[in-house]
Amino acid sequence: MADEVQAARLAFESGRTRPFAWRTDQLRALETMLVERSEELEQALLHDLGRKPIDGYVTDVYSVRTESAYVRKNLRKWTRDRRVRTPLTMGPGRSVVHRQPLGTVLIIAPWNYPLHLALMPLIGAIAAGNSVVLKPSELTPRCSAALAEFLPRYLDSDAVKVVEGGVDETTALLREKFDHIFFTGNETVGKIVMAAAAQTLTPVTLELGGKSPVWVDDTFPIEKAADWIAWGKCTNLGQTCVAPDYVLTTPEIRPRLVDALRESIHRLYGDDPKSNPDYSRIVNERHTARLIGLLDSGTVALGGGHDLADRYIEPTVLVDVPLDAPVMREEIFGPVLPIVTVQNIGEAAAMIRRNDHPLAAYAFTTSAEVRAALIRETTSGSLTINALMLQLGIPDLPFGGVGASGMGSYHGEQSVRTFSHERSIFHRRNVSDFLLRFARPPFTERSEKQLRR
């Protein structure tokens, strides 16, 4: 473990990761890997999560390849020195902000999108000129093995290290000294990572989760809202950090929405989602049992079927859910959807505020007043109107949480910024001896009096 970290650190200290050519070559090699090894990666996702190949390709292969190409295309612009104004009292001189790599960074990836959420931050770390130690999730062993096998073949095997294993290996890595730690996962483990980082004053980026709400009102077609919600909740079986966690709507709309969701789910998966090859599975029996335990939190209005051995949970809608029910106290991370009724958007915003800040918030509405209320009265990592989860695919939108849903962000240029130190550089220009005779320190007694006026 320590040897892997030391090797990555030596690679960075050698200077090999800093040149622009090295960075772009590594990104290009990553894109080549995703093309040439696409089938193996898709099969690994199918094995670990039951995700059909086309879904695995879109979410964990193609999305990463397009992000890498976008970063590579814009990297020179994003990494060149940015000149800032120099006050006359400080000049003559030149002031710039220079982005330099942090050093050796640790990336700890989760299991729900085991390739996407390992490789997306890796793109930013490489683009910024760092060496990397990557820790894939042990809960998706085939994907972890694929990363351990393929990354050293295509990338600089000294500068990019992959460490497999479980809790013991992650704990050992957290005892090592890094220059940045990037963690994606749940709040409980996030606190452990942050506490470990505090021992060495290591900065962290935490991409967590939370209970992402969805507001639905009758200014937007209910059937279309139901299509979006059914798709977002059942994609990867709701095992997505920005999946809709619960719906807020009025008592009048709720029965219409339940009926619309029934039709939407039927169009997606037919009469028997369990036998539909497009319907994935929960990652393991422990998480399946946890989700089964949430089904008693309210009245089952739709679905409710389950099979622990098969890691299967039917798309389920709950109504009449008490606010203190277990399903409303924790992030669901599965295809179980509570619908909570409120009287208006003001009450909905107040309910959102009572919980920790979510990673995402959604609304299906054409009302400008509702949009303004959500922007003004709630806080979330992102806010998406009349769609679900599409914010992830917009590279110039920073992706990250706030408060309990995380700290820091990435994607696009923000990834380069996250893995860089923005260094302030001021170069005072030489002037003639004649001018130097008249030069004064910037804060003389006279200038102090002028500043205080």
Side-chain angles (χ1 to χ4, degrees):
M1 195 75 61
D3 291 343
E4 300 291 317
V5 177
Q6 180 64 14
R9 186 166 297 283
L10 289 175
F12 175 77
E13 292 174 353
S14 73
R16 67 200 293 174
T17 67
R18 293 175 180 266
F20 180 81
W22 183 91
R23 307 182 195 195
T24 54
D25 286 347
Q26 295 300 299
L27 294 178
R28 194 174 287 108
L30 178 62
E31 294 158 34
T32 300
M33 183 195 85
L34 292 169
V35 171
E36 295 182 352
R37 301 296 180 176
S38 175
E39 184 176 349
E40 292 101 315
L41 296 174
E42 292 164 25
Q43 288 301 311
L45 290 164
L46 178 63
H47 176 273
D48 288 339
L49 292 166
R51 193 180 300 165
K52 68 175 183 174
I54 184 60
D55 287 344
Y57 173 77
V58 171
T59 60
D60 283 64
V61 177
Y62 178 76
S63 62
V64 177
R65 182 156 57 89
T66 55
E67 171 80 2
S68 179
Y70 181 74
V71 170
R72 179 167 51 81
K73 177 182 177 180
N74 291 279
L75 188 57
R76 191 174 294 280
K77 176 179 65 176
W78 292 343
T79 54
R80 68 166 59 108
D81 288 352
R82 185 175 77 253
R83 189 168 182 175
V84 298
R85 177 180 170 273
T86 303
L88 290 175
T89 55
M90 306 298 176
R94 186 171 185 269
S95 304
V96 299
V97 177
H98 171 72
R99 284 181 177 166
Q100 63 179 172
L102 296 173
T104 301
V105 304
L106 171 64
I107 296 173
I108 304 174
W111 55 263
N112 56 326
Y113 290 89
L115 304 179
H116 179 104
L117 294 175
L119 298 178
M120 290 288 273
L122 178 66
I123 290 169
I126 290 174
N130 300 280
S131 63
V132 180
V133 176
L134 173 63
K135 170 60 180 65
S137 173
E138 71 278 9
L139 297 183
T140 46
R142 186 72 65 86
C143 291
S144 177
L147 291 173
E149 178 184 357
F150 296 144
L151 285 177
R153 293 190 190 182
Y154 287 85
L155 305 186
D156 185 330
S157 59
D158 293 323
V160 179
K161 296 291 186 181
V162 180
V163 175
E164 292 192 274
V167 174
D168 291 342
E169 286 74 15
T170 303
T171 303
L173 281 173
L174 289 174
R175 286 197 290 263
E176 299 292 328
K177 170 62 179 169
F178 290 94
D179 298 293
H180 193 90
I181 298 175
F182 190 105
F183 169 78
T184 304
N186 61 52
E187 180 182 347
T188 300
V189 182
K191 291 177 180 178
I192 295 172
V193 171
M194 194 170 183
Q199 302 305 308
T200 52
L201 295 180
T202 301
V204 298
T205 299
L206 301 179
E207 298 296 340
L208 307 177
K211 298 187 69 62
S212 297
V214 185
W215 164 259
V216 179
D217 64 34
D218 57 5
T219 67
F220 190 89
I222 300 301
E223 293 75 15
K224 291 184 179 180
D227 285 343
W228 276 105
I229 295 169
W231 170 79
K233 192 62 172 174
C234 294
T235 295
N236 200 28
L237 260 64
Q239 298 170 115
T240 305
C241 56
V242 292
D245 195 88
Y246 64 101
V247 171
L248 293 165
T249 192
T250 61
E252 296 77 22
I253 294 174
R254 190 187 77 179
R256 295 168 53 197
L257 181 59
V258 171
D259 290 340
L261 285 169
R262 181 179 290 105
E263 293 300 318
S264 298
I265 293 170
H266 185 269
R267 281 195 296 272
L268 284 171
Y269 303 111
D271 294 328
D272 184 16
K274 186 177 183 180
S275 62
N276 191 311
D278 292 343
Y279 197 70
S280 304
R281 292 296 184 266
I282 304 301
V283 66
N284 56 34
E285 287 192 5
R286 179 171 64 87
H287 282 284
T288 308
R290 178 185 62 82
L291 290 167
I292 293 172
L294 297 179
L295 299 180
D296 293 331
S297 295
T299 302
V300 175
L302 174 63
H306 52 82
D307 183 340
L308 179 61
D310 191 34
R311 298 179 288 134
Y312 168 76
I313 300 286
E314 185 180 4
T316 300
V317 175
L318 301 179
V319 297
D320 301 325
V321 180
L323 296 183
D324 60 351
V327 77
M328 294 301 295
R329 294 200 305 264
E330 62 183 69
E331 185 179 10
I332 297 170
F333 228 62
V336 179
L337 182 69
I339 298 180
V340 178
T341 57
V342 292
Q343 295 304 312
N344 50 50
I345 186 61
E347 188 176 329
M351 184 174 296
I352 295 170
R353 289 197 304 271
R354 281 199 293 269
N355 296 323
D356 291 330
H357 299 320
L359 185 57
Y362 304 100
F364 289 94
T365 183
T366 61
S367 167
E369 291 79 10
V370 169
R371 294 196 302 269
L374 289 171
I375 293 171
R376 181 180 63 249
E377 299 177 22
T378 67
T379 300
S380 58
S382 64
L383 173 62
T384 301
I385 309 295
N386 299 338
L388 286 180
M389 306 196 302
L390 295 190
Q391 72 273 21
L392 295 176
I394 303 173
D396 290 324
L397 281 179
F399 174 71
V402 56
S405 59
M407 60 180 66
S409 57
Y410 68 124
H411 286 191
E413 184 180 5
Q414 187 62 36
S415 289
V416 177
R417 183 179 293 117
T418 290
F419 289 104
S420 300
H421 167 56
E422 300 211 330
R423 189 180 191 185
S424 301
I425 299 177
F426 173 57
H427 178 201
R428 198 164 193 270
R429 291 175 178 165
N430 293 324
V431 293
S432 68
D433 291 340
F434 175 81
L435 291 177
L436 281 172
R437 287 186 299 168
F438 297 94
R440 296 177 177 176
F443 297 109
T444 62
E445 181 180 351
R446 178 183 176 188
S447 63
E448 182 178 350
K449 291 179 180 179
Q450 291 174 335
L451 289 170
R452 291 179 180 277
R453 288 178 182 175

